[in-house]
Amino acid sequence: MVSLVEIKRHRTHPVQVRGITIGGDAPVVVQSMTNTDTADLEKTYEQVKQLFLSGSEIVRLTVNNQEAAKGIVLLREQLNNEGLDVPLVGCFHYNGHTLLNENPALCEALDKYRINPGNVGFGQKRDKQFEIMIEKALEYNKPVRIGVNWGSLDQDLAMKLMDENSKSPNPLDSNAVMREALVQSALISAEKAEKIGLGKDKIILSAKVSRVQDLIAVYSELARRSNYALHLGLTEAGMSSKGIVATALGEGILLQQGIGDTIRASLTPEPNGDRSLEVRVCQEILQSLGLRSFMPEVTACPGCGRTTSTYFQELAQDIGRFLDVKMPVWSKSYAGVEEMKVAVMGCIVNGPGESKHADIGISLPGTGESPVAPVFIDGKKAKTLRGDNITSEFQDIVEEYVRKRYG
């Protein structure tokens, strides 16, 4: 008998970010990032709110100048006034030490600081400026994500490893050396932070690359060599299906191996597109792996020559929209409803079987079949629908099922 594959999580030190636990035995956390000008309070507030309400449990923002630093403080106040308890992460590059030093209110308003060792400073100033930022995290009791990035890697470390590799009797290819530089940069920086006084329970590591195989290799090494909490993300994943597929593959393979405590889908949005798409992708990755449930799952027939009508496609779409509308209300009153399975099938071949496997399902008539649609509830045929109101009748049946089962 084939047994269910259980994912054994890589045990990491748990980190608290505004009441959310990252690492340890906690569920994998979904993150996102704004793309507004942080100094523009109105636009940034609206996007943070949208991301949070769509399911982003942590939101990261660029803090690149004094106006952005002041904007974060005002944003935190507005979110608090509206009762939106959103954990905010400040993303710093080049001048983070200055912005944190000169803005005590910013240090307090942020719930986590993101530091990239590759651009925290240059030359002899690098270590001192890194130290200032870690000391601010200590002073305000904030966790830090030490996030190295393929595109802004510590060049001194990279050149040192390249030089050592060239002298080796069995040199590695340049990509392997760069992957090693990413791993070492993250671990060396974490060790420096610990020496300054930051505990493992305040450190999250990430190592962003833009290719799936590199992502898997780097994070596998980070997990093998350390037990810091890990944030997964394929940087510059790309647009549309390319970015979604690459993100799902890279993060999915690592999560299946138990690696990763928080994730983000770094998708390039369409012009004026919906930023919350990256949140939904993360949720669907976790739900597809069985790690978390966010929404009732709709199994729908792909269609074939037996289903020349578009009716089952329209019903599947309508049911999906119906669940989207109902879930904000249901989730407050019906515990466990997010784990419900719904099937919308197009003909007699797989329709009844799939519908029986779902909590509630409907099998629509295919081409040439009798114009009836049997409905199955908890594996048993409950009723048969006919006529022009199948969609609304099925929605009523789903709503009644939710009340009875999850009420």
Side-chain angles (χ1 to χ4, degrees), residues 239-254:
M239 296 183 73
S240 190
S241 59
K242 183 268 180 187
I244 293 171
V245 170
T247 298
L249 275 172
E251 294 183 1
I253 289 170
L254 288 166

Side-chain angles (χ1 to χ4, degrees), residues 75-373:
L75 174 66
R76 177 80 274 164
E77 290 176 359
Q78 186 166 349
L79 290 169
N80 290 345
N81 291 337
E82 296 294 326
L84 299 172
D85 195 23
V86 189
L88 300 178
V89 180
C91 190
F92 296 99
H93 297 284
Y94 307 111
N95 60 351
H97 61 291
T98 301
L99 295 173
L100 288 170
N101 232 3
E102 296 180 356
N103 295 278
L106 170 68
C107 299
E108 188 61 54
L110 290 170
D111 300 294
K112 184 172 73 173
Y113 308 157
R114 192 268 190 170
I115 304 174
N116 183 343
N119 56 31
V120 75
F122 301 98
Q124 296 178 346
K125 294 180 179 180
R126 178 187 293 127
D127 287 348
K128 181 59 180 175
Q129 291 172 184
F130 179 81
E131 183 178 346
I132 290 171
M133 298 183 75
I134 298 300
E135 285 175 344
K136 286 299 175 184
L138 282 166
E139 181 181 349
Y140 289 89
N141 194 31
K142 306 290 183 177
V144 170
R145 168 150 73 96
I146 295 173
V148 298
N149 193 296
W150 188 264
S152 52
L153 185 58
D154 181 340
Q155 290 303 302
D156 290 341
L157 175 62
M159 293 304 296
K160 173 178 174 291
L161 292 180
M162 285 289 189
D163 186 53
E164 291 174 356
N165 185 62
S166 68
K167 297 174 183 177
S168 170
N170 299 299
L172 303 171
D173 66 70
S174 58
N175 277 344
V177 178
M178 293 299 281
R179 289 195 291 267
E180 177 64 19
L182 279 165
V183 173
Q184 285 198 25
S185 178
L187 295 177
I188 289 169
S189 298
E191 183 180 347
K192 287 179 181 177
E194 285 199 65
K195 285 181 179 178
I196 297 168
L198 203 64
K200 279 187 168 67
D201 63 339
K202 295 291 184 186
I203 298 174
I204 299 169
L205 296 186
S206 69
K208 297 291 192 73
V209 295
S210 56
R211 296 195 294 255
V212 170
Q213 294 292 356
D214 291 324
L215 186 83
I216 295 167
V218 168
Y219 275 94
S220 296
E221 276 302 293
L222 281 174
R224 188 180 70 83
R225 299 188 204 180
S226 76
N227 54 6
Y228 295 107
L230 298 177
H231 169 74
L232 301 186
L234 191 72
T235 192
E236 289 93 36
M239 296 183 73
S240 190
S241 59
K242 183 268 180 187
I244 293 171
V245 170
T247 298
L249 275 172
E251 294 183 1
I253 289 170
L254 288 166
L255 289 166
Q256 179 67 22
Q257 296 172 2
I259 298 171
D261 302 293
T262 171
I263 64 172
R264 182 194 170 202
S266 300
L267 304 177
T268 304
E270 300 288 341
N272 301 312
D274 182 5
R275 188 70 168 177
S276 61
L277 173 62
E278 64 177 53
V279 179
R280 294 196 297 277
V281 168
C282 288
Q283 290 177 331
E284 288 169 13
I285 290 171
L286 295 175
Q287 185 149 337
S288 295
L289 287 170
L291 290 171
R292 292 185 66 181
S293 294
F294 299 92
M295 281 285 294
E297 188 175 300
V298 179
T299 299
C301 172
C304 67
R306 298 176 63 95
T307 55
T308 52
S309 167
T310 61
Y311 188 73
F312 79 93
Q313 299 165 327
E314 293 162 1
L315 177 58
Q317 188 177 59
D318 289 341
I319 290 298
R321 289 171 179 165
F322 171 74
L323 295 174
D324 285 342
V325 170
K326 289 292 183 178
M327 270 304 291
V329 178
W330 286 352
S331 61
K332 295 176 183 177
S333 304
Y334 303 115
V337 67
E338 67 279 357
E339 297 180 1
M340 180 173 66
K341 305 292 189 293
V342 181
V344 178
M345 302 302 294
C347 78
I348 199 171
V349 174
N350 292 317
E354 286 283 3
S355 297
K356 288 177 183 177
H357 288 307
D359 295 310
I360 181 167
I362 185 169
S363 180
L364 295 167
T367 304
E369 294 177 12
S370 300
V372 296

